[in-house]
Amino acid sequence: MKSIIGRKAGMTQVFAADGTMYPVTVIEVLPNVIVDKRTKEKNGYEALIVGYEDKAERTLNKAELGIYKKANVAAKAHLYELKGDEIYGKAIGETLTADMFQAGDVVDVIGHNKGHGYTGTIKKYHMTIGPKGHGSGYHRGIGSVANNGRDNNRVIPGKHMSGHWGPEQVTIQNVTVVESNLEKGYILVKGGVPGPKKSIVMLRSPILHQFKKPEVKAPVDLSKKGE
């Protein structure tokens, strides 16, 4: 198991050797600097604390600066916890780079979706809209919140009501890595990944991978159709 942090740059398309076009997501992967470690003796589990993207020290408080001075690394804008047996052996101050995953590997991509803001029940939970004619004044309401005589002094938790919808953490499983470029610092993965542009995403080893790499099919020759 291994994992790394990156930033979603956007989507584009690439062409295989046989002419097949694949939509891909470009993930910028700057060096992940190891700032600290979680140990079983002290924390009960093993993990790495990595920093992503440099940040000016004048914007940090003394507590935050102490973390980076102890590790003897430059101040970082983001801190994340990564787990994985293959990366835990690295020392504080070392980096995780884009060449950790290679073309053909299968990964899980974790991010936060865009969200929809404050949303009503019709859009959020696909409830049925009220009648629109015959003098009805009820159209997009939430309906009754009665509890059938049970706990009438409150609304039972979990009741579908209007409110904030997202952003929520989403995991896309078994995504194929199309290209990994260490010099330019990016990874191309097939298809889309959750989150808006410039959002932080995590790439990790697949949890439910079926250990079978997808085959690249040659394009169909329509000129020979019917022969």
Side-chain angles (χ1 to χ4, degrees), residues 114-120 124-125 161-168:
K114 293 182 179 181
H116 300 263
Y118 191 93
T119 312
K124 188 177 180 181
Y125 295 110
M161 306 178 75
S162 59
H164 189 78
W165 182 14
E168 299 175 343

Side-chain angles (χ1 to χ4, degrees), residues 54-68:
D54 294 334
K55 188 176 183 180
E57 293 186 359
R58 58 183 174 79
T59 62
L60 304 178
N61 57 38
K62 290 184 178 180
E64 292 171 334
L65 285 174
I67 297 175
Y68 302 109

Side-chain angles (χ1 to χ4, degrees), residues 16-41:
D18 60 357
T20 306
M21 186 274 289
Y22 295 106
V24 296
T25 301
V26 182
I27 300 177
E28 179 193 44
V29 182
L30 301 177
N32 290 203
V33 181
I34 301 175
V35 177
D36 199 359
K37 281 189 171 185
R38 297 287 186 258
T39 62
K40 287 185 177 180
E41 294 77 13

